[in-house]
Amino acid sequence: MKSFIVVLCFLAVVPFSYSQVGKGDQKMKMEELPEVVIKSAGKDFSIYLPDRNPDKDVVRLEKEFVAYDLGKDYEGYESYLLVLETKNGSLSATYNQNGKLTGVVEDYKNVRLPSSVIYAVYKTFPGWKMVKDKFLYSQEDGDIIKKQYNIKIKKGKSVRRLVVHPNGDIVKGV
């Protein structure tokens, strides 16, 4: 009887112990963020696709841009330019005469790189050190035109410049 109770307690505890174990080889999936409709400009909508950049300054500036109220500042102009800056970069947005967002250009220096970019660079160029990086992101009418990292790497006196996409594809510099 005593052994039956011990086995029963063991069987009751075992399922709960497996609920805390994760698979070490699986990476956490990052969900794509949907585009943000900033405002309605007549029949058109101003659409902005925020980037999933891991750098906190980039995210902060993008949130500030989404929260920015254009108001009636654009009235009377054929196009309107909005520039937001931080110490490491800037975000420039253009609006048309109706107040519709037509384009966004983001340019940041020395940002925190995504792990896929770091892994791709160090795997392709072992022994090299990243010296500088620059993140470029632009979109027009809700479509992403450019999204890349320009990275300068150094090994001894040799210097190379790379262009890397956020998924880790090295486009230029190999």
Side-chain angles (χ1 to χ4, degrees):
M1 183 69 172
K2 190 176 188 182
S3 62
F4 177 71
I5 294 174
V6 170
V7 170
L8 188 62
C9 289
F10 177 74
L11 292 175
V13 173
V14 168
F16 295 113
S17 66
Y18 282 108
S19 65
Q20 299 298 319
V21 177
K23 296 179 182 175
D25 295 337
Q26 271 187 334
K27 290 185 177 178
M28 222 162 121
K29 292 183 181 179
M30 297 286 285
E31 297 296 324
E32 287 291 328
L33 294 176
E35 62 270 355
V36 176
V37 176
I38 296 176
K39 67 177 237 148
S40 173
K43 294 181 182 178
D44 296 327
F45 292 96
S46 294
I47 297 174
Y48 173 65
L49 298 166
D51 181 54
R52 295 182 305 126
N53 194 294
D55 192 87
K56 63 181 168 85
D57 288 335
V58 173
V59 172
R60 184 180 52 78
L61 194 61
E62 288 176 344
K63 284 182 181 179
E64 187 177 322
F65 170 65
V66 169
Y68 184 81
D69 183 18
L70 188 60
K72 301 288 182 186
D73 292 342
Y74 64 89
E75 289 184 350
Y77 298 102
E78 190 173 307
S79 63
Y80 184 80
L81 176 67
L82 170 67
V83 178
L84 301 173
E85 294 181 332
T86 65
K87 68 177 184 168
N88 289 337
S90 66
L91 183 148
S92 304
T94 54
Y95 295 86
N96 67 9
Q97 66 272 11
N98 297 327
K100 180 185 180 232
L101 179 67
T102 56
V104 177
V105 176
E106 298 180 50
D107 182 10
Y108 305 98
K109 295 177 184 174
N110 298 323
V111 296
R112 182 175 172 210
L113 299 172
S115 58
S116 57
V117 172
I118 295 169
Y119 178 75
V121 171
Y122 284 134
K123 182 180 178 186
T124 309
F125 299 97
W128 290 71
K129 181 180 178 186
M130 286 189 232
V131 181
K132 290 184 182 179
D133 64 79
K134 188 174 187 178
F135 175 57
L136 301 171
Y137 181 71
S138 63
Q139 64 183 33
E140 273 183 30
D141 295 321
D143 296 325
I144 297 173
I145 306 299
K146 183 185 278 188
K147 187 175 180 180
Q148 68 186 31
Y149 292 90
N150 296 340
I151 301 172
K152 182 178 176 182
I153 59 174
K154 188 175 183 179
K155 183 176 185 180
K157 293 186 179 185
S158 300
V159 176
R160 292 183 96 165
R161 297 181 191 282
L162 308 174
V163 176
V164 185
H165 285 169
N167 62 0
D169 292 339
I170 299 176
V171 181
K172 186 177 171 187
V174 178

